């Protein structure tokens, strides 16, 4: 008798174990009831490769993949592991790491290039949609690109024409990606001491594209086989990201769309409204989403939505496109990276508009189960599924494209099913911080700089500053590591600067309000936050805006009293739930800029202990920063706090003192 084979029920995620956040838990339950798999279920069903996770699988040629697992009990004596060509575990792990840096730096920098091209169109006045909005920022940026803002005429200094400046800025900026000679211009924005180290090590990036291409060359079979030399190239490429592509993206976006200033908004899936047309923008580049925001707010579109039975239009964001339009327009994020499928599973998402990066292909499968129009907009990021609509962004027709998309969403409102479930959770947040607004809030009354921040660090009310950034990762409980790290830091008087999905997470859990300081902070930080009316965690924007963290730290050095190099500062970096290659590039430019940087989960270096030791110990003696890894959130935060305390001791400010306003002579005495 034939035995009937029973189909095994797929393993599903336990909603409570999968997320630290209630609306996410509720939506996981809903997705499972509806039989729709999400990333949380797939993470249970598929385990990561144990060799790949350690960074020791080489698939760079067709003789492999060669896998070099660590022997049980570790390496005793000489490490004899090698691939077919003889590549050691160090070479393989360093090559894999370098390719992650290349991909991450490419993603940020190509985003920057796209913005620079739109900027050029605006400067040439080829488009009505984009104009130079923030002329102050244009004038602030121009000198860093060697563009003069004044001209000598008849013995007089006169302001140059703004259009002329914009055009020259556009030309010089675009040239940074591929110029034949010289070095990246923004490197000189770093403290002199950091710049000098890069010169000494010979790691000044020559242009953005070249450093990324060179990683791909060096990691080809049979080229660079010295992990130290490979890491040198990682430094060049990642600096070309942080102090190049990302910084240009931030600056040019600010000039085009406005420099963010603090504003109030909300966050979480609960921002979606059942009686409104819900449009979710997702990805990273704000060039089209800026237009969608503009179009969705027109009376014509609001009236059209009403005509179709809705009460209005609710815009929301996911990932860093969300952060971009949050920072400049107060549009609320509907969720972070791991919540993207859930926004559609509400049944109330009339259109999801995606551009580039961090977009899960499974969105298309989820959208098939609902009425949601899933619209790709970027020529380099399409999806194979046939329910996906492609409306390609073109800066010359951006307003028309945006209008078409918004209309499509409005017309889709009436196709909604009755099975809608929007979780009720959302939190208030104050976002929109940046180098300029920190200056305003934490600068002196008459001195537009960072003196007050420095004074509060010196007197110990603020113990130090942490940059906490980065993704979610379905291999750890959604949001938990972020929130526990953040709370431990602020509880111990560490002021946090955040970007990316960490920023969205902090907002969702209510940490981005001034009131949060009284509940969660140590007494020193709470007092500062109360006095100036800021949250203990300042949201600086998207992942390219990590460049704002570099520049804020540089301002702290410039204000004096805390050393002369970024590595002197009581500062640390963290990516508690990282997952993307961009995070590795960010981590490496933080480290190369002198910042002690801790990652959660694992980094793919553990299978090559010598290489791992090199980046987590020896690099400190070269750049002042180094990598570290700690999955436990409390230990993770304390690695950072201990580092901050060490730096305070080195600066001679380890004893908290009564606040004294110091003049330049006092500061110089401290430094001496
Ligand atoms: O660039 S934090 S999951 S959205 S990669 Fe992606 Fe990571 Fe979020 Fe922004 Ni950054």
């Amino acid at each position: 008798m034939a035995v009937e084979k029973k189909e095994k029920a797929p393993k599903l995620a336990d909603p409570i174990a999968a997320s630290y956040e209630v609306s996410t838990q509720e939506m996981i339950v809903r997705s499972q009831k509806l039989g729709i798999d999400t990333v949380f279920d797939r993470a249970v069903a598929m385990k990561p490769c144990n060799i790949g996770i350690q960074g020791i699988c080489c698939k760079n040629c067709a003789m492999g993949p060669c896998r070099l697992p660590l022997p049980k009990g570790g390496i005793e004596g000489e490490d004899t592991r090698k691939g077919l060509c003889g590549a050691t575990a160090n070479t393989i792990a360093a090559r894999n790491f370098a390719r992650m840096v290349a991909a991450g730096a490419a993603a940020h920098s190509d985003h920057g290039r796209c913005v620079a091209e739109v900027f050029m169109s605006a400067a040439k006045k080829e488009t009505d949609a984009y104009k130079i909005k923030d002329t102050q920022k244009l004038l602030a940026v121009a000198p860093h690109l060697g563009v003069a803002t004044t001209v000598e005429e008849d013995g007089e200094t006169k302001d140059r024409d703004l259009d002329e400046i914009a055009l020259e800025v556009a030309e010089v900026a675009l040239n940074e990606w591929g110029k034949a000679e010289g070095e990246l211009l923004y490197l000189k924005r770093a403290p002199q001491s950091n710049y000098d180290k890069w010169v000494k090590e010979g790691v000044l990036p020559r242009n953005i594209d070249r450093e990324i291409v060179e990683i791909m060359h060096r990691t080809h079979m049979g080229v660079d086989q010295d992990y130290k030399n490979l890491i040198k190239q990682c430094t060049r490429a990642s600096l070309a990201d942080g102090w190049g592509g990302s910084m240009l993206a931030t600056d040019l976006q600010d000039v085009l769309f406005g420099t963010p200033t603090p504003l109030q908004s909300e966050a979480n899936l609960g921002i979606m409204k059942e009686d409104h047309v819900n449009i979710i923008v997702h990805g990273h580049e704000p060039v089209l989403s800026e237009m969608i925001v503009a179009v969705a707010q027109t009376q014509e579109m609001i009236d059209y939505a009403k005509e179709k039975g809705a009460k209005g239009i609710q815009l929301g964001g996911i990932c860093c496109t969300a952060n971009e339009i949050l920072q400049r327009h107060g549009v609320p994020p509907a969720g972070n990276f791991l919540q993207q499928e859930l926004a559609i599973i509400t049944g109330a998402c009339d259109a999801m508009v995606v551009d580039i990066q961090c977009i899960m292909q499974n969105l298309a499968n989820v959208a098939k189960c609902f009425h949601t129009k899933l619209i790709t907009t970027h020529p380099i990021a399409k999806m194979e599924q046939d329910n996906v609509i492609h409306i390609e962004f073109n800066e010359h027709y951006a307003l028309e494209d945006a209008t078409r998309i918004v209309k499509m969403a409005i017309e889709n409102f009436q196709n909604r099913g009755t099975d809608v479930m929007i979780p009720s959770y959302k939190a208030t947040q104050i976002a929109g911080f940046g180098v300029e607004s920190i200056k305003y809030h934490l600068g002196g009354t008459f001195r537009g700089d960072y003196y007050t921040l420095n004074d509060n660090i010196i007197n110990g009310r603020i113990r130090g500053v942490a940059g906490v950034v980065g993704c979610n990762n379905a291999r750890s409980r959604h949001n938990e590591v972020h929130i526990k790290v953040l709370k431990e830091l602020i509880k111990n008087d560490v002021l946090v600067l955040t970007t990316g999905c960490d920023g969205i997470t902090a907002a969702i859990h209510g940490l981005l309000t001034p009131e949060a300081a009284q509940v969660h902070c140590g007494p020193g930080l709470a007092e500062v936050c109360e006095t100036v009316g800021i949250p203990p965690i300042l949201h600086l924007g998207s992942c390219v805006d990590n460049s704002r963290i570099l520049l804020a730290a540089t301002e702290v050095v410039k204000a004096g009293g805390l050393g002369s190099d970024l590595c002197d500062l009581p500062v640390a970096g963290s990516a508690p739930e990282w997952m993307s290659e961009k995070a590795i590039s960010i981590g490496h430019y933080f480290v190369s800029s002198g910042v002690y940087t801790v990652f959660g989960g694992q980094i793919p270096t553990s299978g090559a202990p010598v290489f791992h030791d090199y980046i987590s110990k020896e690099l400190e003696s070269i750049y002042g920063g180094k990598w570290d890894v700690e999955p436990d959130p409390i230990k993770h935060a304390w690695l950072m706090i201990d580092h901050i305390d060490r730096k305070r001791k080195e600066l001679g400010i380890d004893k908290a003192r009564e606040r004294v306003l110091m003049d330049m002579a006092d500061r110089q005495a401290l430094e001496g």
Side-chain angles (χ1 to χ4, degrees):
M1 203 172 89
V3 181
E4 220 175 272
K5 236 186 175 178
K6 266 197 182 167
E7 282 245 331
K8 254 194 178 175
K11 275 193 188 169
L12 297 177
D14 169 352
I16 309 281
S19 179
Y20 193 54
E21 196 278 313
V22 191
S23 69
T24 305
Q25 293 167 359
E26 285 184 359
M27 293 307 291
I28 295 172
V29 172
R30 171 171 160 87
S31 69
Q32 292 174 349
K33 273 194 194 144
L34 294 172
I36 301 168
D37 66 276
T38 66
V39 62
F40 299 100
D41 301 316
R42 296 189 293 277
V44 172
M46 188 197 288
K47 294 289 163 214
C49 163
N50 191 38
I51 296 173
I53 211 170
Q54 297 176 52
I56 38 171
C57 171
C58 179
K59 53 181 182 58
N60 295 11
C61 87
M63 299 192 290
C66 293
R67 300 178 305 160
L68 273 57
L70 267 177
K72 274 198 184 115
I75 310 268
E76 268 179 41
E78 202 188 334
D79 185 354
T80 55
R81 294 174 296 161
K82 57 186 175 206
L84 258 64
C85 70
T88 64
N90 293 328
T91 299
I92 290 172
R95 286 200 297 224
N96 289 338
F97 186 87
R99 286 195 168 197
M100 292 183 88
V101 170
H108 285 142
S109 300
D110 218 30
H111 164 172
R113 186 202 320 265
C114 175
V115 175
E117 284 169 351
V118 173
F119 188 94
M120 176 64 97
S121 282
K124 285 185 176 166
K125 301 193 188 298
E126 290 174 353
T127 158
D128 292 335
Y130 301 98
K131 297 206 165 45
I132 306 298
K133 190 167 179 184
D134 191 338
T135 50
Q136 288 270 78
K137 183 88 182 208
L138 175 68
L139 294 173
V141 163
H144 297 298
L145 292 168
V147 176
T149 55
T150 55
V151 63
E152 296 297 322
E153 257 176 33
D154 309 325
E156 266 183 74
T157 306
K158 290 185 181 158
D159 290 339
R160 272 185 83 194
D161 177 61
L162 284 173
D163 289 344
E164 238 178 73
I165 296 173
L167 197 57
E168 213 176 306
V169 162
E171 280 162 3
V172 177
L174 266 173
N175 202 29
E176 291 295 272
W177 272 266
K179 62 189 179 188
E181 287 177 342
E183 67 197 45
L184 285 192
L185 296 165
Y186 273 1
L187 298 169
K188 292 232 164 76
R189 296 178 82 172
Q192 188 65 41
S193 164
N194 294 79
Y195 180 82
D196 290 344
K197 278 181 191 161
W198 299 332
V199 173
K200 182 170 163 247
E201 291 304 313
V203 292
L204 294 179
R206 294 153 289 187
N207 68 50
I208 297 166
D209 288 347
R210 179 171 184 172
E211 306 309 351
I212 295 162
V213 168
E214 195 170 302
I215 285 188
M216 298 313 286
H217 179 188
R218 285 191 189 209
T219 56
H220 183 276
M221 193 271 149
V223 187
D224 204 347
Q225 294 154 34
D226 173 358
Y227 62 91
K228 292 184 184 175
N229 207 36
L230 279 159
I231 278 298
K232 224 172 179 178
Q233 186 54 23
C234 291
T235 298
R236 279 195 200 96
S238 65
L239 291 176
D241 173 355
W243 297 88
S246 281
M247 203 171 275
L248 282 163
T250 298
D251 278 349
L252 299 181
Q253 285 171 182
D254 281 357
V255 178
L256 275 179
F257 309 130
T259 302
T261 52
L263 43 72
Q264 186 173 324
S265 185
E266 295 177 324
N268 211 351
L269 290 163
I271 63 103
M272 295 173 74
K273 293 192 181 128
E274 197 161 346
D275 52 10
H276 279 54
V277 173
N278 289 300
I279 304 176
I280 302 286
V281 289
H282 171 21
H284 285 75
E285 274 181 15
V287 283
L288 179 59
S289 47
E290 275 284 327
M291 293 303 116
I292 291 177
V293 174
V295 169
Q297 287 170 347
T298 59
Q299 197 54 48
E300 188 194 342
M301 285 301 131
I302 295 168
D303 290 345
Y304 190 44
K306 287 182 179 163
E307 206 181 289
K308 296 291 175 191
K311 287 204 170 135
I313 302 170
Q314 177 64 51
L315 273 178
I318 300 271
C319 284
C320 284
T321 296
N323 285 324
E324 298 282 2
I325 55 174
L326 163 73
Q327 295 290 97
R328 298 193 179 89
H329 304 284
V331 173
N336 53 23
F337 172 67
L338 285 182
Q339 289 174 294
Q340 56 186 280
E341 292 164 298
L342 309 182
I344 298 180
I345 293 171
T346 58
C349 178
D350 302 301
M352 183 176 276
V353 188
V354 302
D355 50 81
I356 47 160
Q357 301 166 22
C358 304
I359 296 147
M360 294 185 194
Q361 189 169 352
N362 199 57
L363 285 179
N365 302 330
V366 177
K368 258 185 202 164
C369 306
F370 297 91
H371 75 302
T372 307
K373 302 269 186 213
L374 180 61
I375 304 165
T376 53
T377 57
H378 208 288
I380 68 162
K382 295 186 176 183
M383 287 185 188
E384 69 184 73
Q385 288 97 324
D386 55 13
N387 60 321
V388 181
I389 303 158
H390 187 69
I391 300 179
E392 195 153 305
F393 166 74
N394 178 327
E395 71 261 34
H396 300 106
Y397 308 103
L399 272 173
E400 290 85 335
D401 292 342
T403 306
R404 201 174 140 204
I405 288 168
V406 173
K407 275 191 173 164
M408 195 179 273
I410 293 171
E411 284 155 12
N412 200 27
F413 176 74
Q414 55 207 9
N415 299 327
R416 260 196 217 167
T418 48
D419 188 9
V420 166
M421 180 186 140
I422 301 174
S424 56
Y425 305 95
K426 61 180 176 180
T428 300
Q429 64 168 322
I430 306 294
F433 288 90
V435 179
E436 296 82 355
S437 52
I438 296 176
K439 216 174 249 188
Y440 174 75
H441 283 274
L442 284 165
T445 318
F446 304 108
R447 304 172 295 191
D449 47 40
Y450 278 51
Y451 281 111
T452 310
L453 174 59
N454 283 30
D455 280 336
N456 278 298
I457 295 174
I458 292 166
N459 69 30
R461 283 202 181 93
I462 295 176
R463 190 172 189 158
V465 181
V468 186
V469 307
C471 331
N472 302 121
N473 186 323
R475 298 297 177 194
S476 59
R477 193 179 180 208
H478 169 239
N479 288 5
E480 183 176 27
V481 193
H482 279 295
I483 294 305
K484 289 188 170 166
V485 167
L486 289 171
K487 283 191 175 166
E488 193 65 17
L489 289 171
I490 60 175
K491 186 171 117 190
N492 288 285
D493 291 323
V494 176
L495 175 72
V496 176
L497 307 181
T498 181
T499 62
C501 287
D502 183 86
I504 301 175
T505 307
I508 286 172
H509 290 263
L511 297 179
L512 298 191
T513 62
E515 297 73 33
Q518 300 313 312
V519 183
H520 299 290
C521 290
L525 181 59
E527 193 186 333
V528 174
C529 291
E530 197 182 3
T531 311
V532 280
I534 54 166
I537 301 171
L538 304 179
H539 193 347
L540 268 59
S542 67
C543 288
V544 294
D545 293 332
N546 283 319
S547 62
R548 297 192 204 273
I549 297 184
L550 295 176
L551 291 177
T554 302
E555 291 293 328
V556 172
V557 170
K558 275 199 229 154
L562 292 169
S564 58
D565 190 296
L566 295 177
C567 77
D568 296 333
L569 300 175
V571 155
S574 157
E577 299 178 21
W578 80 280
M579 67 87 203
S580 85
E581 291 162 315
K582 289 180 285 174
I584 294 290
S585 179
I586 294 165
H588 201 67
Y589 72 65
F590 268 36
V591 166
S592 306
S593 301
V595 181
Y596 170 64
T597 304
V598 191
F599 269 38
Q602 304 190 39
I603 61 171
T605 56
S606 56
V610 173
F611 168 62
H612 181 82
D613 275 4
Y614 181 67
I615 62 166
S616 59
K617 292 192 181 117
E618 287 180 53
L619 273 192
E620 193 172 28
S621 63
I622 305 173
Y623 301 111
K626 64 178 178 180
W627 283 85
D628 212 339
V629 188
E630 178 51 64
D632 179 88
I634 303 302
K635 287 187 194 156
H636 185 118
W638 273 97
L639 284 172
M640 299 166 74
I641 298 167
D642 285 344
H643 175 82
I644 284 169
D645 286 349
R646 238 186 339 272
K647 290 294 164 184
R648 292 188 68 85
K649 197 163 186 196
E650 282 169 23
L651 289 163
I653 55 166
D654 48 327
K655 308 255 179 310
R657 26 171 122 180
E658 264 317 289
R659 181 165 182 261
V660 270
L661 272 176
M662 308 182 89
D663 63 18
M664 194 42 109
D666 294 331
R667 282 167 210 289
Q668 279 160 354
L670 256 176
E671 270 162 18

